[in-house]
Amino acid sequence: MKTQFQTPDFLLDAPISSVDGMSLTWYYFGYSYPLAVIIGLFQIGGSILLLYRRTTLLGVMILLPVMVNIVLINGFYTISVGAFFNSVIYSLALIFLLLLHIEKLKMVFWDLVDHLPAVSFGRSWIRHSLRVLPIAVAFISLKILISNRPYDQTLKGTWKVEKLIRNGQVQPNTAWLTDMRAWSRVYFAGYEGCAFSPNPYRFEPSESLLGSYEFDSLQSKLQVAFYSNDTLRATISNRTSETMRLQGVLDRDTLDMQLTRVRR
């Protein structure tokens, strides 16, 4: 019926950092109408199953995961107090109905032993080791991935360009209106790469230079590989937690930028 997950048009033009958890949740779930319909059908279908004794347990099994997820969203995304209270009450009611079938559940999930084909590896410690192996492989793979993509986290964040000097010429504060390389914001996002944006009020990918970067904190050397095939090689100096100076060469331009961290 489209009575849920409808975002007011004025919020669509708001910076994402200024939007509260309620609005973010509503926009996220409302982005896909089929998803909203599926969630609604699960709740309606599960509720109908609760009306019949034969299907009560099935209804609880369908509804409880949905309701627990709603409770967590309501709590951690600061949805209204009334919605949170209702979701907790519904979840407790479902847990009560679930406990009425505790003996059946214990028999199915604990007492029942599947008679799968036996696989013998000799000693029991080998079988236990094989159970742990997938977990170890997952963590080791993640560690290798991180080691092969080293990024110094000291640059990570949003930086305001207080002063931009290109080829010895100081760029006016309004230069970004006509020149997309008169940057007003520099974003270093770690594994997500970086962006040099001209607009001081919003980020528009089509106007910005996007790429990946590597920073050697020992030598204060920065290299940015932009997706436009340009490469910036720069030196970072006067670096503190709040300010730094970036000097380098991009294409045929020499750059000198004074940056100040933007706290969010």
Side-chain angles (χ1 to χ4, degrees):
M1 304 291 292
K2 294 187 177 181
T3 60
Q4 295 288 308
F5 307 139
Q6 301 301 300
T7 301
D9 287 349
F10 58 82
L11 280 179
L12 299 179
D13 290 333
I16 193 170
S17 59
S18 67
V19 180
D20 60 15
M22 172 79 173
S23 300
L24 285 172
T25 303
W26 242 233
Y27 178 74
Y28 172 78
F29 283 103
Y31 181 82
S32 172
Y33 180 67
L35 175 61
V37 171
I38 291 172
I39 293 174
L41 290 177
F42 268 102
Q43 295 182 60
I44 294 171
S47 299
I48 292 174
L49 293 174
L50 293 182
L51 299 176
Y52 301 92
R53 292 182 181 274
R54 186 181 294 272
T55 57
T56 297
L57 181 57
L58 178 59
V60 171
M61 300 295 286
I62 292 173
L63 283 174
L64 190 56
V66 177
M67 287 309 306
V68 170
N69 188 46
I70 292 175
V71 169
L72 295 175
I73 291 174
N74 288 345
F76 289 103
Y77 285 78
T78 60
I79 311 300
S80 65
V81 176
F84 176 74
F85 179 78
N86 285 338
S87 61
V88 170
I89 293 299
Y90 296 149
S91 297
L92 292 175
L94 290 170
I95 292 173
F96 170 75
L97 293 175
L98 186 68
L99 293 177
L100 295 178
H101 300 272
I102 190 65
E103 292 299 327
K104 297 178 184 177
L105 295 172
K106 180 176 178 295
M107 181 181 65
V108 172
F109 292 107
W110 187 258
D111 296 336
L112 183 64
V113 178
D114 289 328
H115 297 284
L116 297 175
V119 179
S120 177
F121 291 98
R123 300 181 181 275
S124 61
W125 67 267
I126 298 180
R127 293 197 300 272
H128 293 306
S129 299
L130 289 175
R131 291 189 178 101
V132 177
L133 182 62
I135 301 174
V137 169
F139 278 95
I140 293 172
S141 300
L142 181 60
K143 180 63 177 178
I144 293 174
L145 176 64
I146 295 174
S147 299
N148 291 335
R149 298 179 63 187
Y151 282 101
D152 189 286
Q153 297 298 307
T154 57
L155 297 187
K156 190 172 182 180
T158 302
W159 298 83
K160 177 183 178 182
V161 181
E162 299 286 358
K163 187 177 182 180
L164 170 61
I165 302 175
R166 179 187 287 118
N167 298 323
Q169 300 294 320
V170 178
Q171 303 297 298
N173 293 334
T174 57
W176 66 273
L177 294 171
T178 56
D179 183 1
M180 287 194 297
R181 291 207 172 191
W183 304 295
S184 299
R185 291 286 189 275
V186 177
Y187 304 90
F188 291 109
Y191 295 117
E192 302 302 321
C194 64
F196 285 51
S197 172
N199 196 312
Y201 305 108
R202 61 172 173 77
F203 173 73
E204 178 58 52
S206 62
E207 299 173 352
S208 307
L209 275 180
L210 305 174
S212 60
Y213 71 95
E214 294 182 7
F215 178 59
D216 185 343
S217 59
L218 296 179
Q219 301 185 16
S220 296
K221 298 293 185 181
L222 172 69
Q223 179 169 306
V224 181
F226 293 107
Y227 301 143
S228 60
N229 294 324
D230 293 326
T231 300
L232 169 65
R233 292 179 175 85
T235 300
I236 302 295
S237 60
N238 303 330
R239 178 165 61 91
T240 68
S241 60
E242 300 297 327
T243 62
M244 66 180 177
R245 184 181 182 184
L246 186 155
Q247 296 171 287
V249 177
L250 175 62
D251 197 9
R252 298 181 179 179
D253 294 333
T254 59
L255 302 174
D256 189 344
M257 305 166 67
Q258 185 63 42
L259 306 177
T260 302
R261 185 184 295 275
V262 177
R263 292 296 179 181
R264 298 187 179 278

